[in-house]
Amino acid sequence: MTISTSSFQLIAALVRRETAMVYDSGKEYLVEARLTPLATAAGCPDVDAYIARISTDLAERRKALDALTINETSWFRDQTPYQAFTETMLPRLIETRAATRRLRIWSAACSSGQEAYSIAMLLDQHLPPGWTADILATDVSTAMLERVRAGRYSQVEMNRGLPATTLVKYFTRAGTEWEVSPELRRMVRVQHLNLADAYAFTAIGTYDVVLLRNVLIYFDQATKYDILRRMRPHVAPDGYLLLGSSETTLDMPADVAGLWSREQLGRVQAHRPVAAVPVASPTPIGA
Amino acid sequence: MTAAPAITDVQAIVEQVWSSFLGEAEPLLPAPVAPGRAFPADDAWSAAVSISGGWDAAVTVELSTPLALSLTTTMLGLTADETAEGPLDADVADAVGELVNMIGGNIKSLMPGPSVLSLPAVAAGRAAHPSGAAEVARFDGVRAGQPVRVAVHVIPQP
Amino acid sequence: MRAMIIDDSRAMRSILRRILAGLDFETLEAGNGREALDLFEAGQVPDLCLVDWNMPLMDGYTFITEVRANRDWRDVTLMMVTTESEQGQIVKALAAGAHEYVIKPFTPDAIVDKLELLGLVNREVLA
Ligand SMILES: C[S@@+](CC[C@H](N)C(=O)[O-])C[C@H]1O[C@@H](n2cnc3c(N)ncnc32)[C@H](O)[C@@H]1O
């Protein structure tokens, strides 16, 4: 079974329109591998027939989009950002937020929730008594959001980066899976959000730490810059934006670069909002 | 009613073991065989582990010989040269034994414990079950046209 | 770095050996806890042990207890790699002195993740 060029272009355009993710030619095998099981389940003879069908069948289209978004994730992914969170960001925020005793964290492409729950575990361990934390987990994939809500992970997922002591502390067995504790689940709020949607951030609020990790790499340059531009007001003035380890070196055009400064925290780089400065004042003050 | 693991759980375990070690390239697909119908291969390998304590049962895996051979080749990482003659029987027994150990251990964790898992017993040929043993769960699947069966038996308490 | 793979299945030892070789570990193998202890006593003390639970002659849990009872071996990092997957078993192994725990089945990434947690591997350097 091989996918035709026209089907591939059709599905690539659909994925791009709905999620901004770019499927370049050469990725035909990926589309095929991910859609073949769905095609079989839907009773289509091949992937081409299935792609034809999703132009009209919206339920099936949702499933195809979910299958085509790359959801690879793990607990405490790359470790260093989480180390920097506990060792640097959290102590600083605890000082500056003493009046409200409240922290707001946003996992902005949360996949199945490991990122949001990893943060929840660290907050559970390091947040002083009397403090509260609100963790918002958003993703474009509704299937992934369902998974975050369920808070259940397979054995194979549990093995990926979760220290054994943390596993026994925060999870219980539920059949073949493990379920995250109700306390952690209460800290995490789930919401559908398409990062590429120009108006998606309007009502989202401001966060002390935003994790926007391993998702910009799937977008084209213009979309990446646009997201980084729109993200700026949603990171608190003394807050942090964390990108994926391969995304921090991103070259940005001057107008975007001017919005963010980079700060080295241990072994990771965080992006921090640059205080708004008037661009070029026409006449010097007092002249 | 004897305690039994859910069929869907057994299937999830078999699929996880399968895809972790043998990759997703050649998936294991469910292929139900009507109850009472024989395992669909004459030439087979089988292995069993027993679980005893909080729950008493035997978990068996049966697979066609070609499937057992390809499992062994993959797990042992044998090269084309090394497999020209086919893996040794001792190697097949070892790989099939590890397969039933992984499946059996995970099934044990679904059931009331604490229980102890035995070391695997492997044989060339179909699985033998003690008389009176009742099958309480079964998964039948195929990979690249080759059959595999995982079954859970308990001996009903009088 | 030297690692000892302790598992009664040659197939499983082979899988782990190939993963560790890719991480630049030198490997030793033992088919059960008793054999592994004999190697320790003969002076073959590795930096890391990957330990199965159910094995003939001496199981992995007993092995860990034995290693922890000897002060000379306190620097050895112990990681269980086993199909035993009840929460109680994990707690028991950690209490006996295991540093980490991987449940079979696992993917190679899981082993790398855990060794990274233990500070024995650095993906950035490997890449
Ligand atoms: C590779 S995962 C990264 C998960 C996690 N942040 C991490 O670093 O492990 C990428 C996630 O981005 C999501 N995604 C893709 N396009 C998106 C979009 N336009 N808006 C929001 N999320 C998107 C995917 O559904 C997927 O869950």
Side-chain angles (χ1 to χ4, degrees), chain A residues 19 70-73 77 109 111 115 139 194-195 213-214:
Chain A
T19 72
I70 292 152
N71 304 313
E72 165 82 5
T73 190
R77 184 169 183 172
S111 186
E115 187 172 272
D139 202 283
N194 182 352
L195 291 165
R213 307 196 67 231
N214 304 300

Side-chain angles (χ1 to χ4, degrees), chain B residues 43-126:
Chain B
D43 201 7
W45 280 82
S46 62
V49 280
S50 63
I51 295 166
S52 44
W55 182 61
D56 295 298
V59 175
T60 54
V61 173
E62 293 169 271
L63 67 181
S64 73
T65 297
L67 194 51
L69 297 180
S70 85
L71 172 88
T72 309
T73 309
T74 311
M75 286 182 78
L76 280 167
L78 301 178
T79 59
D81 279 359
E82 291 164 318
T83 49
E85 312 264 293
L88 301 171
D89 277 3
D91 288 339
V92 181
D94 181 284
V96 176
E98 184 59 13
L99 181 69
V100 80
N101 168 55
M102 286 190 274
I103 294 172
N106 278 281
I107 289 178
K108 168 166 88 85
S109 73
L110 298 176
M111 303 305 293
S115 299
V116 179
L117 186 72
S118 75
L119 296 173
V122 187
R126 295 283 324 279

Side-chain angles (χ1 to χ4, degrees), chain A residues 3-25:
Chain A
I3 182 170
S4 74
T5 311
S6 61
S7 294
F8 178 73
Q9 284 166 352
L10 209 77
I11 192 80
L14 175 71
V15 170
R16 187 161 185 158
R17 193 169 68 238
E18 305 246 334
T19 72
M21 285 180 72
V22 180
Y23 266 94
D24 284 325
S25 59

Side-chain angles (χ1 to χ4, degrees), chain C residues 9-75:
Chain C
S9 161
R10 255 173 299 124
M12 184 50 65
R13 294 203 301 270
S14 161
I15 289 169
L16 291 169
R17 185 198 322 124
R18 280 174 278 149
I19 296 172
L20 290 176
L23 301 171
D24 283 339
F25 277 85
E26 222 183 282
T27 54
L28 287 166
E29 293 178 30
N32 58 65
R34 185 64 256 167
E35 228 177 272
L37 270 190
D38 289 345
L39 285 170
F40 268 63
E41 276 153 13
Q44 302 264 39
V45 182
D47 303 292
L48 163 74
C49 288
L50 305 190
V51 191
D52 186 19
W53 193 304
N54 296 301
M55 294 181 287
L57 300 175
M58 182 189 284
D59 66 32
Y61 176 75
T62 312
F63 170 77
I64 282 190
T65 315
E66 294 280 333
V67 171
R68 281 294 158 253
N70 187 327
R71 288 185 54 80
D72 293 343
W73 298 335
R74 62 172 173 260
D75 293 335

Side-chain angles (χ1 to χ4, degrees), chain A residues 77 81-82 105-110 115 136 138 193-196 201 209-217 219 223-232 235 240-248 250 252 260 271:
Chain A
R77 184 169 183 172
Y82 295 93
I105 320 280
W106 177 15
S107 167
C110 63
E115 187 172 272
L136 173 66
T138 64
L193 186 145
N194 182 352
L195 291 165
F201 298 174
V209 178
V210 176
L211 298 106
L212 179 67
R213 307 196 67 231
N214 304 300
V215 62
L216 293 183
I217 35 169
F219 303 148
T223 311
K224 281 180 205 178
Y225 301 148
D226 184 45
I227 293 171
L228 287 170
R229 224 175 264 127
R230 286 186 287 117
M231 184 58 87
R232 164 70 177 69
V235 179
Y240 302 86
L241 170 69
L242 291 170
L243 304 181
S245 54
S246 63
E247 294 160 331
T248 43
L250 204 76
M252 302 181 209
W260 302 99
H271 282 73

